Structures are given as structure tokens and as C-alpha cells.
């Protein structure tokens, strides 16, 4: 059985991906900052998928020392990681650049870019040793197109795409696959977090259309990880049917 390490497993895509990977027979290392959510998910996975061994690690991906300690604390049975899903991330704020809060900029860059780098840097050496592995970075349509009031979130996801391409170039010789998934609008806790807890603003993002949901992204990850060994799915961009691109959505 293979082992997967998932960041941001306490909500949205990460939670759905974790459940799906357990269903596919993976052992899991689920991570996030909210202890209670991790405990609840661990309990659910143990009860629904008893063949899958699950461990949880609670830490903030922005803290490299905490990432290092957490990964060093893994019991031997979890030290061979076959699949890393870099999913933890967020948008903070949706204001024009000049009106935005520098704290929001820091949070997005520190989580979406530096956090992803810290975790990847810690896990890649094991994959190189094994001469096999798979990294899936959850990027965004925001990594392809820049939209107003989203400059730094979009910059962070453009960086994720550059890192994905760079990793692919550097790791191909070690038998490590590197994939990215770039969703458009998906209803999770994403907009609630972006609007700092304003539920009305979060809801309004999806008015008049059917957004993607976390299961759609779990389906995509399932497709990527179930290809034959000789096939690498490099990048998938997935949108709601009513969203043509960042700018054009058909809302009823
Ligand atoms: P959610 O807000 O539902 O989930 C985000 C997850 O990231 C949570 O589990 C959260 O866990 C974790 N996280 C955030 N900050 C940190 C941190 N500093 N340290 C550790 N974990 C952290 O949003 P989604 O599921 O929608 O988002 C998942 C990914 O998908 C993100 O990278 C996002 O940018 C991307 N994305 C989302 C889209 C959408 O429309 N929903 C579309 C395209 C991409 P906790 O709070 O417990 O730490
Ligand atoms: C989230 C997608 O377009 O709402 O990454 O920013 S978008």
C-alpha cells in the first residue's frame, strides 16, 4: 500500500482528497492547523477505511521549524511517502492592490508559496532515495490569468506553477512525477476565508452558477493517481461549466 501526505486536510479539497485516497487504499498523513478537525477526520477514516493507516500532524506550513519537527516525528512506517499533495493555501482579501493589507500579502505568500516549498523540500529527499514518487500541487486558474483585486493571490499561484514546472525538470531523472491541478470557482471555505469570515460576501461569489465542489477535485486527483506508471498527467485546469475563464461566467 502507498502512503500519501496531504496538506490542508481539515477542509475543502484536502479533506475530500484524503477521504478519496483512503478509499483508493492509501495510508495517509493528514495535516492542518485545526486539531479538532484533524481528530474528527482521523476517526472517520479509521472507521470507514480500516485497512488504511492514518496519522495526523498538526502544524502551520508557514513555520519551517514546525514543518521539520512534524515530519521528523513520523513513525518509521510512515516515512516512505509515495504521494505528496500540496493543497494548503488561501486567498486573503479581495481589494485593489493599493487598498490591500500587507498582512494579507504576507499570509498568502508565506502559505501558498513558502509553505509549499518547505514541505516539498522536506519530502523530496525521501522520494529521491526511493527513486519514485508523485507530487500534486493544487494551483488555481488564478495561476493562469490575473484578475482585478487578486494580484498577490494570483502571483502566489503563478509561483506555484513555476515551481511545479521546475520540480518536474529537476526530478524527472529520479522517477518522480509532478502534477498540478488548477481549479476555477469551487465552493469550500475558500471564500469565507478570503472575506475574513463575511458569509454574505462569500456566498455572493457563487450567485447564479453551480460552482465546483471538493468532490470534483478529489475526482481529478483520483484520475491523476490512477494512470499507469508510464503516464504523467502534468497539468489539469478544471472549471464549473458556467465559467469560461476568470472574467466570463454565465450566471442565471
Ligand atoms: P479551504 O479554506 O476549504 O481549505 C484550505 C485548507 O488549507 C484548510 O485545510 C486549512 O487548514 C489549510 N491551511 C491554510 N493555511 C494553512 C497554514 N498556514 N498551515 C497549514 N494549513 C493551512 O479552501 P480550499 O479547499 O478551496 O483550498 C485548497 C487549495 O485549493 C488552496 O491552495 C486554494 O488556493 C486552492 N484553490 C481553491 C479554489 C476555490 O475556489 N475553492 C480554486 C482554486 C484553487 P487549517 O485552517 O486547519 O490550517
Ligand atoms: C480560486 C479561484 O478564481 O476564485 O483559486 O481565485 S478564483
Amino acid at each position: 500500500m502507498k502512503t500519501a501526505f496531504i496538506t490542508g486536510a481539515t477542509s475543502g479539497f484536502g479533506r475530500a482528497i484524503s477521504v478519496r485516497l483512503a478509499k483508493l487504499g492509501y495510508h495517509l498523513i493528514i495535516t492542518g492547523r485545526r486539531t479538532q478537525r484533524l481528530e474528527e477526520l482521523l476517526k472517520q477514516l479509521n472507521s470507514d477505511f480500516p485497512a488504511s493507516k492514518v496519522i495526523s500532524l498538526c502544524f502551520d506550513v508557514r513555520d519551517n521549524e514546525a514543518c521539520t519537527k512534524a515530519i521528523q516525528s513520523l513513525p518509521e512506517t510512515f516515512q516512505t511517502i509515495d504521494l505528496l499533495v500540496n493543497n494548503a493555501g488561501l486567498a486573503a482579501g479581495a481589494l485593489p492592490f493599493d487598498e490591500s493589507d500587507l498582512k494579507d500579502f504576507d499570509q498568502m505568500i508565506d502559505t501558498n508559496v513558502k509553505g509549499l516549498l518547505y514541505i516539498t523540500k522536506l519530502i523530496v529527499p525521501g522520494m529521491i532515495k526511493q527513486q519514485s514518487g508523485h507530487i500534486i500541487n493544487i494551483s488555481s486558474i488564478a495561476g493562469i490569468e490575473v484578475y482585478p483585486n487578486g494580484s498577490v493571490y494570483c502571483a502566489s499561484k503563478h509561483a506555484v506553477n513555476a515551481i511545479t514546472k521546475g520540480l518536474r525538470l529537476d526530478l524527472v531523472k529520479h522517477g518522480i512525477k509532478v502534477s498540478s491541478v488548477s481549479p476555477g470557482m469551487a465552493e469550500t471555505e475558500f471564500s469565507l476565508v478570503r472575506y475574513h469570515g463575511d458569509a454574505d460576501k462569500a456566498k455572493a461569489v457563487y450567485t447564479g452558477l453551480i460552482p465546483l465542489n471538493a468532490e470534483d477535485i478529489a475526482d481529478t486527483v483520483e484520475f491523476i493517481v490512477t494512470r499507469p506508471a508510464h503516464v504523467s498527467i502534468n497539468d489539469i485546469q478544471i472549471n464549473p461549466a458556467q465559467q469560461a475563464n476568470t472574467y466570463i461566467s454565465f450566471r442565471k
Side-chain angles (χ1 to χ4, degrees), residues 9 14 31 46 51 68 87 99 103 111 115 127 137 150 194-195 215 241:
T31 76
N46 281 341
T68 308
N87 162 77
E99 293 170 33
K103 271 197 209 133
T111 309
M127 289 183 171
N137 291 331
R194 169 170 244 170
Y195 290 106
E215 290 305 313

Side-chain angles (χ1 to χ4, degrees), residues 207-244:
T207 303
L209 57 74
I210 302 173
L212 296 173
N213 57 58
E215 290 305 313
D216 297 320
I217 307 311
D219 288 344
T220 309
V221 168
E222 175 170 352
F223 177 75
I224 292 172
V225 300
T226 52
R227 294 313 86 204
H230 71 284
V231 176
S232 174
I233 303 295
N234 285 352
D235 306 293
I236 291 185
Q237 204 277 302
I238 170 171
N239 277 5
Q242 289 172 261
Q243 182 181 19

Side-chain angles (χ1 to χ4, degrees), residues 91 139-142 147 153-154 157 183-186 190-191 194 205-206 243 246:
S139 185
S140 168
I141 192 171
Y147 53 81
Y153 179 65
C154 293
K157 292 300 186 177
M185 277 181 273
F190 177 84
S191 291
R194 169 170 244 170
V205 172
Y206 312 108
Q243 182 181 19
T246 293

